[in-house]
Amino acid sequence: MERKDIFAYVKQQYGTTPEHPWKQYPDYAVLRHSNGKWYAENMNLKRSQIGLYGESKVDVMKVKFNQE
């Protein structure tokens, strides 16, 4: 699944759109609940930054959830 597909899904399902809060990282995005708290971060990192071979970039999404 690509970044654009995820963003389209959360917009349809939850009514949220990505925000880009860091000028120095224009490819990074956050998704927020209506209360302003983040529920996901999307980052575009070099493969070597996450222990993979190569320098090409990959999308990584960090999602927060309640484990109850």
Side-chain angles (χ1 to χ4, degrees), residues 44-50 52-58:
N44 190 266
L45 303 173
K46 289 182 182 177
R47 296 172 66 85
S48 62
Q49 289 177 285
I50 56 173
L52 300 174
Y53 178 76
E55 292 301 310
S56 63
K57 291 192 173 185
V58 294

Side-chain angles (χ1 to χ4, degrees), residues 14-31:
Y14 305 108
T16 57
T17 56
E19 298 176 18
H20 301 273
W22 302 287
K23 288 182 183 180
Q24 69 270 32
Y25 301 109
D27 291 333
Y28 288 24
V30 297
L31 298 167

Side-chain angles (χ1 to χ4, degrees), residues 3-65:
R3 168 191 289 229
K4 64 181 174 88
D5 300 323
I6 293 169
F7 292 161
Y9 174 79
V10 297
K11 183 173 183 167
Q12 177 187 21
Q13 190 72 21
Y14 305 108
T16 57
T17 56
E19 298 176 18
H20 301 273
W22 302 287
K23 288 182 183 180
Q24 69 270 32
Y25 301 109
D27 291 333
Y28 288 24
V30 297
L31 298 167
R32 297 179 191 263
H33 292 286
S34 59
N35 65 8
K37 292 186 178 186
W38 300 0
Y39 66 86
E41 293 176 79
N42 186 270
M43 300 163 280
N44 190 266
L45 303 173
K46 289 182 182 177
R47 296 172 66 85
S48 62
Q49 289 177 285
I50 56 173
L52 300 174
Y53 178 76
E55 292 301 310
S56 63
K57 291 192 173 185
V58 294
D59 278 332
V60 175
M61 182 168 272
K62 177 181 173 182
V63 179
K64 297 189 313 185
F65 67 96

